[in-house]
Amino acid sequence: STPRQITAIGGDAVTHSSLSPDGTRVAFVSFAGGNASIWSQNVDGSELRQLTKDDAADSWPVWSPDGRRIVYTSTRNGTQETRVMAPDGTGNEKLIDGFFRGDWIERPDGTGTWIVTSDGNRGMRLIDVEERRVIWEKRLPGAGLSFPVFSPDARRISATFQETRDRYAIQVL
């Protein structure tokens, strides 16, 4: 099908988009309000809405598997937090300390959800969302800013990492 532009924000002001699970909305980062904030819009181009409106730098929005929440990174007073909110921006709260750039999926046994994220440093973390705790952390040199994603069955994770100065590779966990 033919690509269709849905946003029209001037300048270099839109990045990090994420499509909702039902395909009707998109969450993204825009600098239109003066700093990096999370916005959303219907895919038909209607209802452009700024969801975060604070001095924090917000980025990397990803929808929950059921479409009821959005997770993102927020840098507040020099400290990174993984935060969640409803798709209308309400209920905005800290989920856990640390950087987020990754994926959110339902657990294979159906008892909750997991987030996998690079940690912004040298590895990745698997987070139990409902328990708000880190299940495991893996030190993977060169993977600190990768974008890890789950396989559809949530049994594997793929992530890029810098193997050497001139060589990048993909690792499957």
Side-chain angles (χ1 to χ4, degrees):
S1 77
T2 304
R4 181 172 44 96
Q5 179 179 329
I6 65 168
T7 59
I9 298 173
D12 183 19
V14 176
T15 186
H16 308 165
S17 68
S18 176
L19 194 60
S20 65
D22 67 4
T24 63
R25 295 192 59 76
V26 65
F28 58 93
V29 174
S30 177
F31 300 88
N35 62 327
S37 297
I38 309 297
W39 293 62
S40 70
Q41 187 171 26
N42 290 338
V43 296
D44 68 7
S46 65
E47 292 189 39
L48 177 64
R49 180 183 302 167
Q50 184 175 356
L51 303 180
T52 60
K53 301 174 185 175
D54 50 44
D55 292 334
D58 302 326
S59 58
W60 301 109
V62 170
W63 294 83
S64 64
D66 63 7
R68 292 182 173 170
R69 293 181 287 172
I70 297 170
V71 64
Y72 66 98
T73 289
S74 185
T75 304
R76 298 164 180 260
N77 301 316
T79 302
Q80 293 178 325
E81 298 177 355
T82 298
R83 298 186 66 86
V84 292
M85 65 181 160
D88 64 1
T90 62
N92 193 326
E93 62 184 359
K94 180 172 122 177
L95 175 66
I96 198 165
D97 288 327
F99 180 79
F100 169 80
R101 180 162 77 175
D103 199 8
W104 194 348
I105 198 163
E106 188 171 322
R107 290 175 52 160
D109 62 9
T111 62
T113 59
W114 286 332
I115 285 175
V116 64
T117 178
S118 57
D119 68 5
N121 190 12
R122 290 191 186 137
M124 293 188 302
R125 301 186 301 164
L126 181 68
I127 299 166
D128 183 304
V129 176
E130 289 69 29
E131 292 183 12
R132 297 175 180 250
R133 70 176 180 91
V134 175
I135 297 170
W136 57 251
E137 293 182 82
K138 301 284 184 193
R139 298 286 99 196
L140 301 171
L145 292 175
S146 72
F147 197 112
V149 294
F150 287 105
S151 62
D153 65 2
R155 297 190 188 282
R156 291 195 170 86
I157 297 166
S158 68
T160 59
F161 68 100
Q162 189 173 1
E163 190 174 51
T164 66
R165 188 177 141 194
D166 300 359
R167 183 179 166 133
Y168 285 80
I170 298 169
Q171 188 161 14
V172 177
L173 303 165

